[in-house]
């Protein structure tokens, strides 16, 4: 039995920089003149001189001049703040070693292959240029017709240009349409390239899209009518506030820009997020085991143990009472346990899959069964936690271990052949860069690095929208619990993370039957217990086809696949009470996802209830509800525990 270490203590956080407030106030309107005195014979001789403020206001344009002066002062102040923040950031990074590669994403070979392919087909390039010219001719013609009174063509749906100013002002309308035309043409040109390595083509497409997204006119003050309007209406205060936000984000990132996606001060783990009642009943060097309090008087005999991803913290399943999966499961009569992974520090740099199998999966199963007093449990694996759980089930099958009765996978991959754009970050060139960053950090991957990677996959939503709002418009980040959680990243041990990237994304070893774990080769086809797979239609991290391919790797006949609407998070965390999105059900598991979809039936709302029905059938009879404080394992502290509160 492992020893229980003491409650972790978090190092004192660095005092955040106090963001100043703009000091240039808006000009006050001139005071109204006093009523004229009643006429008396001596009034003209004794009438007092007007106050200086009244005298200034009496001149035409005085108020406008004062507005211009205030605007000029605020623009100068904003420029000085930006220059100071950038200089301070440069100094803070002056002693850091330069990156080993000027092209860490290895884009140059991909673009070189694209250009070579285009050069070898001059007729295709000629047609593309003619197409671009034709598009611009039509743009100029339609602009001329609109100038003559013709109604403008409805703009395509694009959140970046939803403000009416983009269409109502002819100059900004032309700018918007020209940008969309050019970016669409450029991305289509790259997509149409033939006879090059598919991986190189995909990399070229991905980074061309990143480039075209970055050069959107909405990302620049001078070409964003919404930002210019805010600038005028606030006499430059919006830009001053924006530069304050910019400076604060630079300081928060230690010289690297870390764009704030939420008002992080509005949330405290254990106080207004992660508040489901329960107890930490076990703690060791790798995880805390949390048992949650029952919602009713009875529960199913077989408990439910959830393994979240160690890339993120578990409380995505317990943000608020209304959307808490943990609370909902407790209310359905399940005894819920959660494995809350430690936020690893340098002492765990050498931890790999074997450690997370033996000290994580196996020990959590052991302690859950001890606390619940049963011989079997049901398990859930979310994202990368599901990848580990799948490998562990194969290891258990090889050993004849039957302690897991049934398993569920949320957005989890075991076959990585079609794993989406994250595959672009797993070539050897990029892996060497990741390894360099981990070595520089002492053997762990800083949480911010993974956050930047995930943000790049959806740059318009997770980078540029906040760049515009925070810096160009000077708005405070929203108080949004999901984005607060998204920014609360964890570190990752070097051994584990490099093995994950190389073995799963690089070699697809688990699907190929070549993944070594715990001294055995994991064979998923030997897993015959009932399985439930959930995928999301718009998931960009665990694409639905990748999850479907994973479901077909397992050997049992009782395998259920359900497709949810939305993406990697909202597709999973979708409480029935919200009545959002939809899900598709098909009891069969044909060879391809397309065949499955052809026979699937769409249902409105959340998929949780369908899964709960599946789980009820496999969780045994009802017994009196278990009190976390009265089991064999004595409570250590109240949920959500201490590990989840450790910041990276």
């Amino acid at each position: 039995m492992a020893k229980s270490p003491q409650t972790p203590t978090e190092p004192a956080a660095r005092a955040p920089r106090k963001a100043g407030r703009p000091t240039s106030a808006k000009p006050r309107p001139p005071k109204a003149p006093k009523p004229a005195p009643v006429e008396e014979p001596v009034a003209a001789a004794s009438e007092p001189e007007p106050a200086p403020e009244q005298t200034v206001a009496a001149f035409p344009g005085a108020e406008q001049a004062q507005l211009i002066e205030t605007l000029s002062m605020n623009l100068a102040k904003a420029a000085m703040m930006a220059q100071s923040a950038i200089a301070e950031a440069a100094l803070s990074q002056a002693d850091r070693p330069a990156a080993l590669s000027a092209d860490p994403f290895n884009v140059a070979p991909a673009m070189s292959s694209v250009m070579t392919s285009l050069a070898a087909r001059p007729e295709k390039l000629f047609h593309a240029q003619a197409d671009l010219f034709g598009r611009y001719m039509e743009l100029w013609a339609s602009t001329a017709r609109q100038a003559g009174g013709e109604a403008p063509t409805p703009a395509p749906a694009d959140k970046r240009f939803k403000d009416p100013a983009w269409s109502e002002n002819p100059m900004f309308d032309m700018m918007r349409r020209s940008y969309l035309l050019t970016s669409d043409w450029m991305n289509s040109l790259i997509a149409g390239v033939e006879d090059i390595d598919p991986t190189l083509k995909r990399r070229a497409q991905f980074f061309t899209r990143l480039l075209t997204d970055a050069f959107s006119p909405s990302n620049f003050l001078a070409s964003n009518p919404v930002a210019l309007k805010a600038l005028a209406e606030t006499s430059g205060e919006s830009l001053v506030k924006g530069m304050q936000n910019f400076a604060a984000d630079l300081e928060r990132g230690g010289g690297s820009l870390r764009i704030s996606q939420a008002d992080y001060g509005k949330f405290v783990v254990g106080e207004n997020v992660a508040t489901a009642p329960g107890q930490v009943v076990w703690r060791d060097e790798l995880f805390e085991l949390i048992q949650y309090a029952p919602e009713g008087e009875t529960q199913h005999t077989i408990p439910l143990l959830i393994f979240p991803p160690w890339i993120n913290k578990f409380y995505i399943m317990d943000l608020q009472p209304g959307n808490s999966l943990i609370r909902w499961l407790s209310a359905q009569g399940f005894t819920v346990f959660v494995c809350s992974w430690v936020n690893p520090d340098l002492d765990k740099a050498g931890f790999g899959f074997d450690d997370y199998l033996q000290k994580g999966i196996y020990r959590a199963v052991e302690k859950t069964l001890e606390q619940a007093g049963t011989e079997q449990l049901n398990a859930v694996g979310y994202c990368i936690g599901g990848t580990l759980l799948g490998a562990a089930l194969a290891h258990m099958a090889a050993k004849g271990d039957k302690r897991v009765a049934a398993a569920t996978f949320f957005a989890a991959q075991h076959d990585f052949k079609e794993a989406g754009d994250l595959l672009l970050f797993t070539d050897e060139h990029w892996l060497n860069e990741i390894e360099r960053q981990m070595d520089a950090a002492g053997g762990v991957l800083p949480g911010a690095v993974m956050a930047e990677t995930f943000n790049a996959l959806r740059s318009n939503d997770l980078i540029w929208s906040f760049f515009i709002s925070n810096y160009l418009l000077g708005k405070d980040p929203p108080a949004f619990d999901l984005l607060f959680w998204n920014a609360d990243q964890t570190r990752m041990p070097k051994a584990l993370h490099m093995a994950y990237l190389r073995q799963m994304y690089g070699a697809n070893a688990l699907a190929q039957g070549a993944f070594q774990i715990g001294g055995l080769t994991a064979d998923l086809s030997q897993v015959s217990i009932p399985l439930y797979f959930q995928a999301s239609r718009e998931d960009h991290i665990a694409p639905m086809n990748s999850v479907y391919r994973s479901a077909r790797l397992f050997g049992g006949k009782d395998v259920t696949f359900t497709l949810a609407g939305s993406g990697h998070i909202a597709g999973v965390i979708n409480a029935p009470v919200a009545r959002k999105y939809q899900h598709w059900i098909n009891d069969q598991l044909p060879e391809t996802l397309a065949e499955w979809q052809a026979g699937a039936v769409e249902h409105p709302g959340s998929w949780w209830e369908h899964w709960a029905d599946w789980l009820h059938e496999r969780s045994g009879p009802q017994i009196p509800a278990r009190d976390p404080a009265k089991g064999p394992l004595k409570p250590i502290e109240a949920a959500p525990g201490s590990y989840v509160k450790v910041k990276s």
Side-chain angles (χ1 to χ4, degrees), residues 10-50:
E10 188 175 341
R14 181 182 178 183
R17 168 193 251 179
K18 294 183 179 179
R21 298 294 302 171
T23 55
S24 303
K26 295 182 182 179
R28 297 178 179 176
K31 295 181 180 179
K34 296 180 180 180
V38 179
E39 287 190 10
E40 295 181 7
V42 294
S46 60
E47 188 172 307
E49 291 291 328

Side-chain angles (χ1 to χ4, degrees), residues 36-84:
V38 179
E39 287 190 10
E40 295 181 7
V42 294
S46 60
E47 188 172 307
E49 291 291 328
E53 185 177 9
Q54 292 173 303
T55 304
V56 172
F59 288 102
E63 183 178 351
Q64 289 80 0
Q66 193 168 359
L67 285 170
I68 292 173
E69 181 182 356
T70 303
L71 175 61
S72 300
M73 291 177 62
N74 278 330
L75 289 175
K77 182 177 181 180
M80 291 176 64
M81 290 178 65
Q83 292 173 6
S84 175

Side-chain angles (χ1 to χ4, degrees), residues 407-628:
T408 299
F409 298 99
F410 300 161
Q413 301 175 92
H414 306 89
D415 185 331
F416 287 76
K417 184 177 181 180
E418 299 183 27
D421 285 337
L422 277 174
L423 283 169
L424 301 175
F425 295 88
T426 57
D427 72 320
E428 198 58 34
H429 187 95
W430 173 240
L431 292 180
N432 289 336
E433 174 64 17
I434 286 286
E435 196 163 11
R436 182 195 67 80
Q437 293 185 40
M438 285 193 281
D439 288 339
V444 294
L445 183 69
V449 175
M450 281 305 300
E452 291 167 0
T453 302
F454 288 133
N455 289 345
L457 298 178
R458 295 175 56 201
S459 61
N460 280 332
D461 291 334
L462 297 178
I463 297 176
W464 295 115
S465 65
F466 294 102
F467 182 92
I468 295 166
S469 178
N470 297 1
Y471 307 151
L472 301 189
L473 299 178
K475 294 183 178 180
D476 290 323
F480 190 9
D481 54 4
L482 175 59
L483 291 176
F484 166 79
W485 166 85
N486 187 57
D488 192 8
Q489 297 284 336
T490 61
R491 297 176 289 268
M492 278 168 285
K494 176 182 175 180
L496 177 68
H497 193 58
M498 295 309 298
Y500 174 61
L501 294 178
R502 286 198 165 100
Q503 293 293 307
M504 301 301 177
Y505 280 94
N508 200 17
L510 189 54
Q512 298 295 328
F515 182 63
Q516 298 290 318
I517 184 169
L520 298 172
T521 301
D523 184 356
L524 298 179
S525 68
Q526 297 302 307
V527 179
S528 58
I529 63 174
L531 302 175
Y532 188 105
F533 282 81
Q534 175 275 335
S536 297
R537 185 175 58 175
E538 300 165 26
D539 194 332
H540 61 292
I541 294 173
M544 58 180 179
N545 196 48
S546 186
V547 177
Y548 189 82
R549 291 173 62 96
S550 300
R552 286 183 50 81
L553 291 175
F554 291 81
K557 295 182 179 179
D558 186 358
V559 179
T560 300
F561 179 86
T562 297
L563 183 64
S566 196
H568 191 68
I569 300 302
V572 177
I573 307 303
N574 181 23
V577 69
R579 300 183 182 279
K580 293 178 66 176
Y581 311 125
Q582 68 280 95
H583 64 281
W584 292 264
I585 297 172
N586 183 350
D587 293 334
Q588 304 302 310
L589 201 69
E591 186 173 346
T592 67
L593 176 63
E595 294 176 80
W596 183 92
Q597 288 178 296
V601 177
E602 180 177 341
H603 299 268
S606 174
W607 58 276
W608 288 8
E609 290 169 330
H610 178 262
W611 173 50
D613 290 341
W614 181 91
L615 202 56
H616 282 307
E617 295 177 4
R618 294 160 178 83
S619 298
Q622 296 280 327
I623 61 172
R626 300 176 172 101
D627 184 344

Side-chain angles (χ1 to χ4, degrees), residues 301 303 337 366-376 623 626 631-632:
T301 305
F337 289 82
E366 172 195 338
K367 293 303 173 183
T368 298
L369 295 177
E370 182 180 345
Q371 178 74 347
T374 61
E375 294 183 355
Q376 285 189 311
I623 61 172
R626 300 176 172 101

